[in-house]
């Protein structure tokens, strides 16, 4: 057979690594920890769930990434960072499609690139972000946005909320939306006639599912500690808190006695 040159092998490896990186980025430990805060902060702020059904920590990355809604978030930087300098740290598949971009090209960029440079658009966006910071969330937002390829669209009924750490400190903001219009006024929706997830609470957990969720979360705690983290680290504390919540869910389901 034909010998593969060393250079070809290296290039092929790099290509595979690039593909793996995209998959790894939305399922990395950092992303999972962030999404736990995003989902929990949404429930605390809005009083309803973001995802249709309860999912384990091992499923959350894929569930949010493939969800039937557009979701993006930006993280707050150091103190004194301007409202237009917050950087994107997450976008799910529907968001990347709507903004016509890739994870690597969006994450790390100032989130202000989601709107046109026009001062009117940017100042409207500034006001929205500051109102959210003050109130904790904003519902029913509408406004023009622009894709990476220059396509303009009008988002409708968007919900923006503060993402808070387990200690209650604001660490960023996330937005979710399911509807928008193009420049010609044609309407689009990610739901395709399906009921909005928020309107239908997920099915109740069975004892078996609750037991599985406890076991999976226990594995996560163990893996975090195996990676060198201790009980003093925030990630471990957050994972343990989720574990205790799941144990409490299980206890509620299991008949006493």
């Amino acid at each position: 057979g034909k010998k593969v040159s060393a250079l070809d092998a290296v290039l092929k490896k790099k290509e595979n690594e690039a593909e793996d990186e995209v998959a790894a980025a939305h399922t990395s430990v950092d992303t999972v920890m962030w999404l736990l805060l995003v989902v929990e902060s949404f429930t605390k702020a809005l009083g309803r769930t973001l995802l249709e059904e309860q999912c384990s920590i091992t499923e959350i990355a894929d569930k949010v990434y493939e969800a039937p809604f557009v979701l993006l978030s930006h993280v707050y930087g150091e103190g004194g960072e301007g409202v237009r300098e917050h950087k994107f740290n997450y976008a799910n598949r529907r968001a990347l499609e709507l903004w016509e971009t890739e994870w690597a090209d969006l994450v790390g960029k100032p989130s202000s690139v989601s709107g046109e440079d026009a001062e009117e658009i940017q100042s409207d966006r500034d006001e929205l972000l500051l109102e959210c910071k003050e109130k904790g969330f904003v519902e029913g937002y509408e406004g023009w946005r622009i894709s990476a390829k220059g396509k303009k669209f009008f988002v409708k009924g968007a919900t923006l909320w503060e993402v808070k750490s387990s200690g209650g400190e604001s660490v960023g903001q996330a937005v979710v939306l399911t509807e928008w219009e193009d420049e010609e006024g044609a309407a689009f929706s990610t739901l395709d006639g399906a009921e909005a997830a928020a309107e239908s609470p997920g099915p109740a957990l069975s004892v078996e599912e609750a037991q599985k969720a406890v076991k999976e979360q226990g594995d996560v705690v163990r893996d975090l500690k195996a990676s060198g983290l201790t009980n003093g680290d925030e990630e471990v504390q957050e994972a343990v808190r989720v574990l205790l919540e799941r144990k409490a869910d299980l206890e509620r389901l299991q008949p006493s006695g």
Side-chain angles (χ1 to χ4, degrees), residues 39 53 61 174 195:
V39 169
E53 51 194 46
E195 284 297 303

Side-chain angles (χ1 to χ4, degrees), residues 21 47 94 124 229 241:
E21 263 174 42
R94 299 290 184 123
D124 172 63
L229 297 176
R241 192 182 56 69

